[in-house]
Amino acid sequence: MKKRIKNISVLSLLFIFTFITSCTDDLNIVPNDDDTLLGEELFEDEGAYRQVIAGVYANLALTGTEGAGNSNIDGIDAGTSQFGRVLLYMQTLSADQMIWSYENDPGTRELQRNIWTAQNPLILGMYSRTHLTISLANNFLRETTDEKLNERGVSDAIRTDIAEYRAEARLLRALSYYYMMDLFGKANFGTDNDVVNKVLPVYDRAQLFDFVESELLAVESDLVPAGQNEYGRADRGVAHMILAKMYLNAEVYIGTDRYADCMNYCQQLLNSGYSLATDYRHNFLADNNLNSATNEIIFPIVSDGFTTQNFGPTTVMVNGSVGSIEVNGAEVGVAEGGWGGALRVRKEFAELWQGGDFIDDDRNTIISADRPIGIIDISDRDTGFIIQKYANVTSNGTPGIDQTFVDTDFPLFRLADVHLMYAEAYLRGGGGSATEAVNLVNALRMRANNPNMISNSDLTLPFILDERSRELHWEAHRRQDLIRFGLYTGGNYNWAWKGNGSNGIAIPAHLDLYPIPNFSLSSNPNLSQNPGY
């Protein structure tokens, strides 16, 4: 079992964010604190290197040092810039699974109705938070060159650790550029080789694809073997996961079929010692850093109700599922009223669970009660089904430490996705075998106590898209999946409130990419807006 690192990450963040980073100006991010340079004096302490790399990780979970409502980026609200939350909104709320009841919350109405503009604060939050991770990684790499380590007389023992930390910093930077490529199709591009405050070039999708691929391949041998790092730290398995997902979507990103490469990394991941959690729900409970989910979760965004209080994706989803008469907060480890029915599911997602095949499927946590399945009025919280996938209770029923901020980590990448990527890559001509693809899908159904196993004839691309939704819903994959299947924009598939129509209408193709935020455009003359905005 992997070791816990939650407390290390957050305490280091609180320490490091006292110093972060006027160096973020190199990616046009303005920190709140003007006195924020990671200086030479910090690195005189050899223990600082571990703290600084942990701070890079913690930027995925936290937004600042003074509580959940604090933001360390000037002009960006904490509620619209927590990495996991805005990723969830951009990949899930904008698609066919989720509805947010409170449309006065900044940016949510536009995202879930597919009518966003370049002024949307959630889009700005994602763009800015992701670039901040890149800046933090770049700064760490600048301060850990051989030359600087020699100047400081850093011991050989610490240098061995630093080699791993540097590989992890490059991976976290590559992960950030991967999401920029997927969501925006371009990014301000800077590395540790660029001087601070330089006006940066802009990389397009093809350039970002090449960079992320080359970086992950370059650091592969320096990363801890897959599944063998501390829980919450990246290892070789995370690099292989990003590569597999890039290659699966390569036709979208660069117009080139890379399914054989996707299959290669799926096979490596399947042979890396990971295993499915013994219980599907273990992946989404407050002790998913300790229970059988540690064998399945390849990379989490850590959450802790005491030390990492934040309005991240799991806090949002657990509290958001509570508030109707059908759901009591105590059942999922939060305050009785939760957030008053903030989250519901769209009709199209609810319909994936209709019929006898999924009545007893553990993945089916939908609560229908006497509610209508459709949501005609988004403000009417008594319509539409509810879901309880995530909970702030442990696998033995103990509630989390706090009744608002949950202990449940967000599974950014997990092995079940690899099972389904293998099956899809096989169907798209990437190699592998039909028998193995069917077995991998059936392993997920068997784990969910679904008695309905599939055969070779059932294995089709439409089936895989539906099964991905059933297995991976509310894990920030859906928009990407629909785009890959050609069903996101256009009118081939319409879902409730797509395009601002209650029954869904076609949306234009340019919405496959998000706009570059206006604020970001004004800060870099090399940036240009995506077509259609």
Side-chain angles (χ1 to χ4, degrees), residues 165-397:
Y165 300 159
R166 284 180 59 85
E168 292 170 41
R170 292 174 69 179
L171 182 147
L172 293 171
R173 182 176 64 184
L175 174 70
S176 298
Y177 279 128
Y178 159 74
Y179 280 118
M180 293 300 298
M181 172 181 64
D182 180 76
L183 296 166
F184 298 99
K186 63 176 68 171
N188 300 320
F189 184 79
T191 71
D192 49 301
N193 294 319
D194 293 297
V195 297
V196 175
N197 298 326
K198 171 186 176 183
V199 176
L200 292 169
V202 174
Y203 268 29
D204 62 19
R205 254 187 171 168
Q207 291 170 307
L208 290 173
F209 188 99
D210 288 345
F211 175 78
V212 174
E213 179 183 38
S214 63
E215 275 290 278
L216 294 175
L217 294 176
V219 302
E220 184 178 23
S221 61
D222 290 326
L223 291 166
V224 174
Q228 296 184 30
N229 211 342
E230 294 174 284
Y231 179 85
R233 281 177 61 188
D235 54 29
R236 208 169 296 163
V238 181
H240 291 174
M241 189 72 179
I242 300 169
L243 287 167
K245 294 191 76 65
M246 278 180 51
Y247 293 140
L248 185 68
N249 292 281
E251 284 193 303
V252 173
Y253 299 149
I254 59 173
T256 302
D257 173 343
R258 301 289 297 272
Y259 299 115
D261 293 316
C262 174
M263 178 63 72
N264 171 37
Y265 282 99
C266 286
Q267 290 171 330
Q268 290 193 52
L269 286 160
L270 290 167
N271 293 323
S272 293
Y274 298 107
S275 60
L276 296 177
T278 56
D279 185 324
Y280 175 76
R281 296 299 307 282
H282 281 185
N283 289 295
F284 316 106
L285 297 177
D287 61 343
N288 61 355
N289 65 304
L290 297 171
N291 65 31
S292 69
T294 60
N295 299 313
E296 178 169 353
I297 295 176
I298 295 172
F299 192 53
I301 298 176
V302 298
S303 182
D304 185 286
F306 178 68
T307 55
T308 62
Q309 290 189 355
N310 66 84
F311 292 107
T314 51
T315 287
V316 168
M317 288 185 285
V318 176
N319 285 279
S321 70
V322 175
S324 67
I325 60 173
E326 295 92 347
V327 183
N328 185 291
E331 299 173 14
V332 292
V334 295
E336 180 179 350
W339 290 356
L343 283 173
R344 289 163 287 156
V345 301
R346 303 193 200 221
K347 178 182 69 173
E348 291 72 19
F349 175 70
E351 289 174 342
L352 287 178
W353 302 100
Q354 303 290 298
D357 283 3
F358 303 102
I359 291 176
D360 298 319
D361 193 306
D362 289 347
R363 302 172 298 181
N364 181 4
T365 60
I366 284 180
I367 299 170
S368 56
D370 295 322
R371 290 168 160 262
I373 193 172
I375 301 173
I376 304 302
D377 178 357
I378 290 178
S379 66
D380 182 358
R381 287 170 286 154
D382 293 326
T383 62
F385 293 174
I386 309 164
I387 196 169
Q388 280 195 343
K389 178 168 181 170
Y390 294 85
N392 186 34
V393 296
T394 67
S395 46
N396 64 13

Side-chain angles (χ1 to χ4, degrees), residues 32 35 63 76 80 89 166 176 208 213 241 282 305 311 333 364 389 404 406 419 455 489-490 526:
N32 264 334
D35 186 21
T63 55
I76 308 294
T80 60
Y89 283 178
R166 284 180 59 85
S176 298
L208 290 173
E213 179 183 38
M241 189 72 179
H282 281 185
F311 292 107
N364 181 4
K389 178 168 181 170
T404 296
V406 306
H419 282 226
S455 63
T489 55
N526 292 325

Side-chain angles (χ1 to χ4, degrees), residues 110 114 132 140 150 168 196 342 361 445-446 475:
E110 294 80 10
N114 312 101
L132 179 54
F140 179 83
N150 290 338
E168 292 170 41
V196 175
D361 193 306
R445 292 191 157 209
M446 189 177 304
E475 296 181 50

Side-chain angles (χ1 to χ4, degrees), residues 80 89 93 103-112 116 119-123:
T80 60
Y89 283 178
L93 188 62
E103 291 201 293
N104 59 333
D105 279 7
T108 54
R109 181 179 189 273
E110 294 80 10
L111 276 187
Q112 68 184 7
W116 55 76
Q119 294 177 305
N120 187 285
L122 295 165
I123 294 174

